[in-house]
Amino acid sequence: MLDFWIRVSVLLKRLLRTCLSHLILCLEYGLYRVWLLIYNEPDDTDVVLFNELPLRHRQISRHISHNCPKPFCELCRVERIVMYMERAKVSIDIAMLTISHSSFYSAIDAARLRGIQVRLITDSQMIFAQGSVVKKLVAAGLPARRSPPDVILHNKFCIIDGEQRVFELDQQQRRWHHRLWYRRGYVLNGSLNWTKLGTVNNFENVVITSNRVIIALYENLFNDMWKHFPVLDLEAFDSIPTTPFDFEHNEWPCKQFDRSLN
């Protein structure tokens, strides 16, 4: 009989703790929304352009870490994008056609190792491209999704500390206090694939903003793809049928995305 009441007492304590944590989270989230309405945090915006004048300014001088003299320095611009990834406090969600640039691979892996919740959605054919680091990331335990084989995932965006994702993780981890207060969300979007070819040879752009409305739209898109796209794990690399892609004539069979795919 005594054991029964001890078990009941433990269950009541756990229930009370869960209820209190949810109540505090809800109240704190309400206060956060009120704070946003009152102070209306201004948007932070940035644009990173690659190789606007590549022919005129090649090999002018070498890159140095401080006060780089190169007017169009590839490394400086890559580091500027990586800087935003290093600001992440909770999460990074990436939707990218392909990733092969070592600096972006290092930034993703470093974020994962310091406890940031990183998710990746990529194209099911470009994971086999020469130099792709996707398999290394998946092998390291990074959660990933892939597009269906007959659909091209041509998105190139990255969400840092999105409000929806932070709120979701705080609930999953049963935290007593929201992390929305001390993080700032960003979305990075543009033409750039995270490849050396893109940052060195191509004319590319990346637009960065902290606008909450824009970030929410990208979060909805990412979450929709994450829900419907197949899981990308090591076994998938052996089971995905490869379709040859003709970069010269852009001949890639593509059918309308079927949301029934799992």
Side-chain angles (χ1 to χ4, degrees), residues 104-120:
F104 292 116
Y105 166 76
S106 298
I108 295 171
D109 197 47
R112 181 184 64 83
L113 291 174
R114 63 187 174 91
I116 303 301
Q117 298 295 316
V118 185
R119 298 186 296 180
L120 171 66

Side-chain angles (χ1 to χ4, degrees), residues 169-186:
L169 289 170
D170 282 350
Q171 285 189 315
Q172 288 178 2
Q173 298 170 7
R174 298 181 179 180
R175 300 181 65 90
W176 286 87
H177 299 287
H178 269 302
R179 289 173 290 185
L180 294 168
W181 295 98
Y182 63 86
R183 68 90 186 110
R184 186 163 199 176
Y186 291 94

Side-chain angles (χ1 to χ4, degrees), residues 52-64:
E52 312 89 308
L53 299 172
L55 299 179
R56 189 180 302 177
H57 292 281
R58 286 193 185 280
Q59 305 300 329
I60 287 183
S61 54
R62 298 185 61 185
H63 168 81
I64 55 176

Side-chain angles (χ1 to χ4, degrees), residues 87-139:
R87 290 181 181 179
K89 299 292 194 297
V90 182
S91 67
I92 298 176
D93 289 334
I94 303 165
M96 192 67 55
L97 175 70
T98 182
I99 304 174
S100 61
H101 200 297
S102 59
S103 295
F104 292 116
Y105 166 76
S106 298
I108 295 171
D109 197 47
R112 181 184 64 83
L113 291 174
R114 63 187 174 91
I116 303 301
Q117 298 295 316
V118 185
R119 298 186 296 180
L120 171 66
I121 301 176
T122 190
D123 185 78
S124 61
Q125 297 300 309
M126 293 304 293
I127 59 176
F128 301 106
Q130 184 176 2
S132 172
V133 299
V134 173
K135 191 170 185 177
K136 290 173 63 178
L137 292 170
V138 171

